[in-house]
Amino acid sequence: MIEKIKDLEEIARQLEPDPKQKQELTKMVINHTEEFLSRLPDENAYFQNSEPENQDHLSETPTKINELLGFLRSRVEYDGINAASGGHMGYVPGGGLYPSALGDFLAAVSNKYAGIYFPAPGAARMENMLIRWMNELMGFPPNATGNLTSGGSISNLIAVVTAREAAEVKAKDFDKLVVYLSDQAHHSLQKALRIAGLGEAQLRYLPIDDEFRLNISTLEDIILKDKASGLIPFFINASLGTTNTGTIDPIEEMAAVAQKHSVWFHVDAAYGGFFRMLPEICEKTKGIEKADTITLDPHKSLFLPFGTGAVLIKDLKSLYKAHRYTADYLQDLVDSDSEVNAADVSPELTKHFRGLRMWLPLKLFGLKPFRAALEEKMLLAQYFREQIKKEEGFEVAPVPDLSITMFRYVPAHGDAYAFNERLIKAIQDDGRIFLSSTTIHGKFWIRVAIVVFRTHKDKIDLLLRIVKEKKDKLNV
């Protein structure tokens, strides 16, 4: 057995490269990333899907790092949407700050487990500090808590499950619960309800006005009617920046109705939450401090890499009731009197130290450039809207609340819906800029989502040229 152990040890030690090997690996990876970043300003935002290459097997033998990086370049980085590009304005990305990648590197090397305070006090304190900062930004009280999640979907799930526990409803009454939202609410909310066992809950889709905001003129009447029918008003959802249009719902008015009727009030601020770093958005989002839960996505308007979300929650008791469990093998753990364990407030037990990817750039740069970038993106959306509106035949959506704007071309003859379908395809096939589209109440719109920190005026001017160029070709 001893000889077998020694033989296995010799092979297993290959997993720990020596200093020279580590240096060479690091150098090649850094060179690869530097080349990628240096090419971004002139690189396409979208690449047509390449022919799939066989990746369905692993080998017992090693592959050289240069071959692996070559494969990454041709089959991953230059395939599909280039999410790091300033030309990516199709969905709501953030771009991926370079120091965040360094934070992930440091977190992976140290391999700290940030889910519980005892094994990694410094990591737990760091993540809780970030939660406290976000709570302060949203106007939540000092005793509010939260969790760094993988994104808005898990954040919405945590919010729904916590609301379910706070309501103390039994399974036999789940079909009596009523959720109030608009048809512009993110679909992850409906998904969260289903996962939380509330698929039988009744959804009340409130109308939106001409500016795509939730119209709450009938909300109180609907709640009273539901109560009179023996139903249980359960959850009101407001959006601080819808994914479709970037619209801010009337948060303060919705908060007042929720408080009056003791209904859980949730604000999905995944896209727009960090715009509250700007005074004018704080003014437009009064009442958010009255929410019970808030969803945020630092990988959107804080420009961090994908996989960085957050949920903020006032009711720690109900949060614990939904998520806190223990086990015999954890009997050695000593809880902190002042710090919340991330594993106690989330479905995740095993979680990586994702706080480092957020903490490092915020500390390294300070808040000022983040604030400037957010204001710049808002102004760029307004600039694009003003410029495209000057072009004959183009129709624009209402003035954007944040940094998403929409437009469409209405031809003198023919079907506008079909024309804009062809127009968005032509823009995407071009590849220099990536946009996406949406249909709202039967009308086809092309979306311009300006959220990547690398998107500046030169990209918007390029987009304007491309739109006019493709429109002219389609009109021939």
Side-chain angles (χ1 to χ4, degrees):
M1 181 187 291
I2 300 300
E3 289 303 315
K4 180 67 171 177
I5 290 174
K6 289 181 178 180
D7 290 342
L8 293 172
E9 178 183 338
E10 185 176 353
I11 299 172
R13 281 186 176 275
Q14 294 176 24
L15 298 176
E16 180 68 273
D18 63 35
K20 184 178 179 181
Q21 290 172 318
K22 287 200 290 283
Q23 188 176 37
E24 184 62 26
L25 288 170
T26 303
K27 179 181 178 182
M28 295 190 72
V29 169
I30 293 297
N31 288 342
H32 177 90
T33 59
E34 284 299 318
E35 182 186 352
F36 174 81
L37 293 172
S38 68
R39 295 174 65 166
L40 269 182
D42 302 313
E43 198 57 86
N44 274 9
Y46 179 67
F47 303 94
Q48 298 292 343
N49 289 332
S50 59
E51 289 297 321
E53 185 167 316
N54 186 9
Q55 299 183 64
D56 62 358
H57 70 278
L58 296 173
S59 172
E60 289 290 325
T61 57
T63 307
K64 293 182 179 179
I65 184 66
N66 60 324
E67 294 180 33
L68 299 174
L69 293 174
F71 180 90
L72 182 64
R73 173 79 79 223
S74 63
R75 297 294 179 172
V76 179
E77 293 171 354
Y78 291 163
D79 192 15
I81 297 173
N82 186 356
S85 168
H88 177 19
M89 306 177 215
Y91 299 110
V92 187
L97 292 169
Y98 186 74
S100 291
L102 299 180
D104 278 348
F105 174 75
L106 294 168
V109 170
S110 65
N111 200 31
K112 284 290 186 181
Y113 170 58
I116 297 177
Y117 176 84
F118 176 77
R125 285 194 295 267
M126 180 185 292
E127 294 200 346
N128 285 335
M129 179 275 284
L130 294 168
I131 293 292
R132 286 192 290 272
W133 172 68
M134 288 184 279
N135 276 318
E136 183 179 351
L137 182 63
M138 297 299 123
F140 268 24
N143 63 342
T145 186
N147 184 253
L148 291 180
T149 69
S150 62
S153 295
I154 295 298
S155 297
N156 282 342
L157 176 60
I158 292 173
V160 166
V161 171
T162 304
R164 183 194 67 196
E165 296 305 308
E168 297 184 335
V169 289
K170 303 299 182 183
K172 65 181 179 63
D173 292 325
F174 283 177
D175 62 337
K176 297 179 183 177
L177 298 178
V178 186
V179 178
Y180 307 87
L181 69 167
S182 86
D183 62 6
Q184 299 299 298
H186 197 276
H187 66 276
S188 62
L189 179 62
Q190 291 95 321
K191 183 176 179 179
L193 288 165
R194 188 175 66 218
I195 294 171
L198 304 180
E200 295 177 305
Q202 302 186 42
L203 304 184
R204 297 279 187 265
Y205 288 103
L206 300 169
I208 57 173
D209 61 23
D210 292 339
E211 295 184 330
F212 307 123
R213 292 185 180 88
L214 189 147
N215 184 339
I216 68 161
S217 60
T218 60
L219 176 58
E220 189 165 12
D221 288 340
I222 293 172
I223 289 175
L224 290 172
K225 188 178 295 184
D226 285 338
K227 285 182 176 180
S229 300
L231 300 176
I232 306 170
F234 166 62
F235 195 97
I236 296 175
N237 180 81
S239 295
L240 197 174
T242 60
T243 301
N244 243 1
T245 66
T247 302
I248 300 174
D249 284 334
I251 293 172
E252 189 165 29
E253 294 89 338
M254 295 176 74
V257 174
Q259 282 194 335
K260 181 177 180 180
H261 295 280
S262 301
V263 183
W264 190 276
F265 183 43
H266 176 68
V267 177
D268 187 341
Y271 155 50
F274 290 102
F275 282 91
R276 275 181 57 87
M277 295 173 71
L278 306 176
E280 60 267 38
I281 302 303
C282 269
E283 184 67 24
K284 291 173 71 171
T285 56
K286 282 182 178 178
I288 195 171
E289 71 281 355
K290 298 175 184 177
D292 295 290
T293 44
I294 299 173
T295 286
L296 294 168
D297 266 354
H299 65 212
K300 291 187 173 75
S301 50
L302 210 58
F303 317 120
L304 303 191
F306 289 126
T308 321
V311 61
L312 309 179
I313 297 181
K314 288 178 180 174
D315 186 352
L316 181 59
K317 180 181 177 182
S318 295
L319 186 61
Y320 275 162
K321 187 177 177 182
H323 297 98
R324 196 178 199 181
Y325 284 86
T326 188
D328 293 340
Y329 67 89
L330 298 176
Q331 66 183 21
D332 299 328
L333 301 186
V334 178
D335 287 337
S336 166
D337 293 332
S338 59
E339 301 294 343
V340 172
N341 290 328
D344 289 338
V345 295
S346 164
E348 291 184 296
L349 295 179
T350 302
K351 65 180 291 291
H352 70 286
F353 182 16
R354 63 171 58 99
L356 196 48
R357 58 161 56 181
M358 184 175 176
W359 177 85
L360 189 59
L362 287 173
K363 295 291 284 187
L364 186 65
F365 296 138
L367 297 178
K368 185 175 181 179
F370 289 91
R371 191 174 288 110
L374 289 170
E375 186 172 6
E376 178 200 19
K377 306 316 166 207
M378 286 180 56
L379 293 176
L380 287 175
Q382 296 170 27
Y383 170 73
F384 174 85
R385 183 179 181 276
E386 290 170 0
Q387 296 304 309
I388 201 67
K389 188 169 65 170
K390 295 175 183 177
E391 300 294 323
E392 186 177 353
F394 281 95
E395 178 183 339
V396 294
V399 175
D401 283 336
L402 299 172
S403 66
I404 295 176
T405 190
M406 301 192 304
F407 71 98
R408 63 198 295 263
Y409 183 73
V410 183
H413 305 285
D415 181 27
Y417 195 108
F419 187 94
N420 284 281
E421 281 186 312
R422 295 195 300 273
L423 180 57
I424 185 63
K425 186 176 188 309
I427 294 169
Q428 291 175 350
D429 288 347
D430 178 271
R432 288 175 289 172
I433 300 289
F434 183 81
L435 301 182
S436 65
S437 66
T438 188
T439 300
I440 301 177
H441 301 169
K443 186 178 284 191
F444 191 101
W445 292 97
I446 297 176
R447 299 171 64 255
V448 184
I450 305 172
V451 193
V452 175
F453 69 95
R454 295 186 178 102
T455 304
H456 305 294
K457 183 176 176 293
D458 60 332
K459 290 292 185 185
I460 304 302
D461 289 334
L462 173 61
L463 170 60
L464 288 163
R465 293 196 298 271
I466 291 172
V467 170
K468 288 181 277 188
E469 170 191 316
K470 303 306 177 186
K471 178 266 296 182
D472 289 343
K473 285 186 178 180
L474 290 172
N475 261 337
V476 172

